[in-house]
Amino acid sequence: MPICNKKTLLCLAISGSLFSVSYAANANDHHDHHDGEHHESEHRHHDAHVHGVVETNIAQDGDHLLFEITAPGADVVGFEHAPKDDAQKQVLANAVKTLNNPNLIFTLPENAKCTFEEAHVSHNLVNHNDHDDHDHDHDHDHHDGEHHKEHGKHGEFSAQYEYHCEAISNLDQIETQWFTHFPHTHKMTIQYLGDAGQKAASLTPKSSVITL
């Protein structure tokens, strides 16, 4: 079950306040040639998927921390389609296994006494033919536009992690080992929302710690 179903307030913070900050930052970083409100949502969607860039939102509520990561498939496994052979299947399986162990990805200060509680990892690098052969043609006949839209989507991963921290006031920094496990990534954008307010940062392989 996705963590967001259980932690509504945290997820609203992530999808609302944090994302609006992220979008504003992205809008400044990218070209300003989109025309009017009609293209804003589309521009926002495409900005969220940039090869080499992983987005991480972190929300704190009381003694709980919720991480939400969105990563292009190319950053995680080196491709953005369903695995085409056994080697790619193994790469995908290894990536999912790593993503399900956030202690391999983030290091929190020991004196914050944070305990990992739950992970939810998903991706869309699947071959619909593998499990939907019986009505694949039906989809094309009756939902052609929608089906093509689905196939046109970028392959990506989503991961959510929940921690409980007994001394969360000691949470003064977060370090990531993401770049070690997924070297295709050039940058990780961090949006943090907690008792101390909001903070944004960009991490790289040479600068992988955010100070809160």
Side-chain angles (χ1 to χ4, degrees):
M1 176 185 295
I3 297 171
C4 273
N5 290 347
K6 297 171 57 182
K7 294 291 181 182
T8 305
L9 290 176
L10 286 179
C11 291
L12 285 175
I14 282 180
S15 61
S17 300
L18 289 177
F19 193 81
S20 64
V21 172
S22 174
Y23 174 57
N26 282 337
N28 290 332
D29 289 342
H30 291 273
H31 297 295
D32 282 325
H33 60 270
H34 56 286
D35 299 320
E37 294 181 1
H38 179 72
H39 296 291
E40 276 193 18
S41 60
E42 182 179 358
H43 185 72
R44 182 191 226 165
H45 172 76
H46 290 303
D47 274 350
H49 186 102
V50 179
H51 290 188
V53 178
V54 170
E55 293 185 350
T56 300
N57 294 324
I58 307 170
Q60 178 239 327
D61 181 28
D63 54 6
H64 286 275
L65 269 184
L66 181 68
F67 289 69
E68 182 182 69
I69 302 173
T70 303
D75 283 48
V76 179
V77 292
F79 51 88
E80 294 198 346
H81 50 72
K84 294 182 177 180
D85 52 38
D86 289 341
Q88 289 189 346
K89 288 180 180 179
Q90 188 60 54
V91 169
L92 178 58
N94 290 343
V96 170
K97 183 178 180 180
T98 299
L99 288 171
N100 270 298
N101 187 351
N103 291 329
L104 295 176
I105 298 174
F106 293 106
T107 300
L108 308 178
E110 287 188 15
N111 60 355
K113 299 181 180 180
C114 296
T115 303
F116 163 62
E117 293 195 334
E118 187 175 354
H120 177 74
V121 176
S122 62
H123 64 82
N124 60 359
L125 278 67
V126 295
N127 188 342
H128 296 283
N129 292 331
D130 288 345
H131 54 78
D132 204 22
D133 278 334
H134 63 282
D135 62 0
H136 187 68
D137 291 334
H138 176 270
D139 284 344
H140 269 291
D141 291 341
H142 297 279
H143 305 286
D144 192 56
E146 182 177 330
H147 197 69
H148 278 295
K149 182 179 179 181
E150 178 72 25
H151 277 269
K153 287 182 180 179
H154 291 290
E156 67 180 21
F157 287 78
S158 175
Q160 296 176 349
Y161 307 132
E162 182 184 352
Y163 289 83
H164 175 263
C165 303
E166 294 183 18
I168 202 162
S169 60
N170 293 326
L171 185 72
D172 55 2
Q173 70 173 37
I174 297 173
E175 182 177 3
T176 185
Q177 289 76 44
W178 177 279
F179 303 101
T180 300
H181 297 289
F182 306 114
H184 292 289
T185 304
H186 304 303
K187 181 172 72 171
M188 173 182 281
T189 62
I190 303 283
Q191 301 291 337
Y192 172 82
L193 178 64
D195 289 343
Q198 294 184 350
K199 181 154 187 177
S202 292
L203 304 184
T204 66
K206 293 183 178 180
S207 178
S208 58
V209 178
I210 179 175
T211 301
L212 305 176

